Amino acid sequence: MHVGQMNITGTLFLFVFRLDYKIPTGYAWLLLSWVPESATVRQKMLYASTKATLKLEFGSGHIKEELNATTKEETTLKGYQKHKIDFSAPAPLTSREEELAEIRKSEVKTDFGIDTKQKTLGGINCPISDPTSQALVDMQRGAYNYLQFRIDLDEEKIHVVNAANIDILKLPSQIPTDHARYHLYLFKHQHEGNHLDSVVFVYSMPGYSCSIRERMMYSSCKGPFSATIENHGIEITKKIEIDNGEELTEEFLYEELHPRKLNLRPQFSKPKGPPSRGAKRLTKPQATE
C-alpha cells in the first residue's frame, strides 16, 4: 500500500486500498476518506452519505479498517501508521471503570449453551480467614447464635469480627451504621405450634455512607460467601438485606420467615332486591283436561 504517493489536488476524496492480510472472504480493504476542515457543511454531509453507499456496494464485510483524514499528512503512510498506533492503544478509564474492570477479572466465568448446565452463582469468591472458618464450625455445633463478618478491602478477605450469643432484643444494636457487614443469626421461634431454629443471613448496607468500592465488594461477595457458609454445614433459611439495625425486630424476622397468606379470591355478596317490590305472588295452577 502506497498511501504516501498520492497526489491530492481536489477538494474531497474517497479511496479504497487493499491491505496486506486476508480474511475468510478474501483480502481486507481500507476505506480512506479525506474531508478537510475547510469543506462546507453540505459537502461533509454529502460525502458522509456517499461513504455509506460505497461501503454497501463494495461490501462492508471486506472493509476492515477506516481512516477519516482532515489533513493531507494523515493520508500519507506515516499518517496511516500513526492512526494504527492511536487506535490500538486502550482508551483511558475512569476510576469507576477501573473498579468494574477489577471486579470482572475476579468474576466466576461460565460458558452457556443449549446442553450446558451451570450454577447460577456469580460474583467474587473472596477467601475467608482461618478464624472465620472456625467460627462457622463452632456455630454449626451450637456454640454461638450470632456471627458478624467484614471484608478487608486491601487483601480482599473475609474476617469474623464478632461471635457471641445475643438476645433478639439486642440484635439491632449490633448493626454498624458506617460500614457494610454480613451477619448470621439463629432465630429461635414458634410457628403453628412447632419450635423452629432458623438461620438468617443478613446483609447490612447503611447506604451511601460507604465508599463505592465497599458497596460493590459486599454486593459481589454476598452470593459466594453464603455458599461457603452452607458448605460448612449451616443451612441458611432466609437471606435479608437491610439499611439499618432498627429493622431487625422479632416481628420483622417472623414476617420474613413466615409471610402472611393473602386471600386473593374476591368475595361477592348477593345483591339485595328492590325495597318496594311487594310480597311474592302465588299463581294458581291450571287444571288439566
Side-chain angles (χ1 to χ4, degrees):
M1 184 182 71
H2 302 285
V3 182
Q5 298 178 0
M6 294 188 305
N7 182 18
I8 300 176
T9 58
T11 306
L12 297 93
F13 285 93
L14 291 173
F15 301 94
V16 179
F17 290 94
R18 194 182 73 181
L19 300 174
D20 297 331
Y21 63 91
K22 288 187 175 182
I23 57 177
T25 57
Y27 277 100
W29 292 78
L30 164 70
L31 175 61
L32 187 150
S33 62
W34 183 66
V35 182
E37 294 294 339
S38 58
T40 63
V41 175
R42 184 174 182 276
Q43 289 176 321
K44 292 179 180 179
M45 294 177 62
L46 177 61
Y47 267 75
S49 61
T50 303
K51 183 171 70 171
T53 304
L54 175 62
K55 290 174 61 178
L56 181 63
E57 294 294 332
F58 187 84
S60 58
H62 300 290
I63 298 176
K64 292 301 177 183
E65 298 184 29
E66 291 189 40
L67 174 57
N68 301 315
T70 57
T71 63
K72 291 185 179 182
E73 289 75 15
E74 293 177 328
T75 64
T76 63
L77 179 59
K78 185 177 179 181
Y80 170 74
Q81 292 172 342
K82 183 178 182 299
H83 165 79
K84 294 279 289 184
I85 295 174
D86 292 342
F87 279 82
S88 62
L93 301 178
T94 64
S95 58
R96 168 76 170 175
E97 291 172 336
E98 289 177 354
E99 291 179 2
L100 291 175
E102 290 295 326
I103 289 178
R104 291 191 187 102
K105 291 180 182 179
S106 305
E107 285 181 347
V108 178
K109 301 297 182 181
T110 56
D111 296 324
F112 293 95
I114 297 176
D115 299 325
T116 57
K117 295 181 179 179
Q118 301 287 349
K119 295 182 179 179
T120 57
L121 178 64
I124 301 177
N125 192 2
C126 286
I128 64 174
S129 63
D130 292 337
T132 301
S133 179
Q134 185 60 48
L136 292 173
V137 173
D138 293 339
M139 184 175 189
Q140 195 273 335
R141 293 175 179 173
Y144 307 110
N145 72 343
Y146 173 74
L147 297 178
Q148 184 180 135
F149 311 91
R150 71 174 181 89
I151 298 178
D152 190 309
L153 299 180
D154 295 328
E155 60 177 351
E156 296 185 355
K157 198 171 188 178
I158 298 178
H159 299 273
V160 60
V161 294
N162 191 5
N165 288 293
I166 296 177
D167 185 81
I168 183 64
L169 298 178
K170 297 182 180 180
L171 184 60
S173 61
Q174 303 297 318
I175 310 302
T177 58
D178 54 348
H179 289 289
R181 289 290 187 268
Y182 298 133
H183 314 264
L184 274 184
Y185 184 69
L186 180 61
F187 180 46
K188 298 183 178 182
H189 61 286
Q190 297 283 337
H191 177 64
E192 296 181 351
N194 299 319
H195 177 78
L196 301 177
D197 295 340
S198 303
V199 177
V200 181
F201 177 84
V202 180
Y203 163 44
S204 63
M205 172 59 67
Y208 289 92
S209 60
C210 303
S211 65
I212 295 177
R213 184 164 184 245
E214 182 175 355
R215 296 200 302 269
M216 293 176 63
M217 284 294 295
Y218 273 85
S219 178
S220 302
C221 294
K222 177 181 60 176
F225 181 51
S226 62
T228 301
I229 293 172
E230 294 189 329
N231 290 337
H232 281 73
I234 301 176
E235 181 180 356
I236 298 176
T237 308
K238 183 70 176 181
K239 297 177 183 178
I240 301 173
E241 297 185 14
I242 62 172
D243 296 327
N244 57 76
E246 296 178 357
E247 301 178 47
L248 285 182
T249 62
E250 184 174 2
E251 294 77 14
F252 173 77
L253 292 179
Y254 186 88
E255 286 292 334
E256 288 291 323
L257 290 169
H258 311 288
R260 297 177 182 178
K261 297 180 181 180
L262 300 178
N263 186 10
L264 300 179
R265 185 176 180 181
Q267 300 292 331
F268 296 100
S269 58
K270 184 179 180 181
K272 297 180 179 180
S276 60
R277 64 179 180 177
K280 293 182 179 181
R281 292 179 294 176
L282 298 177
T283 57
K284 183 177 180 181
Q286 296 181 356
T288 57
E289 297 180 355

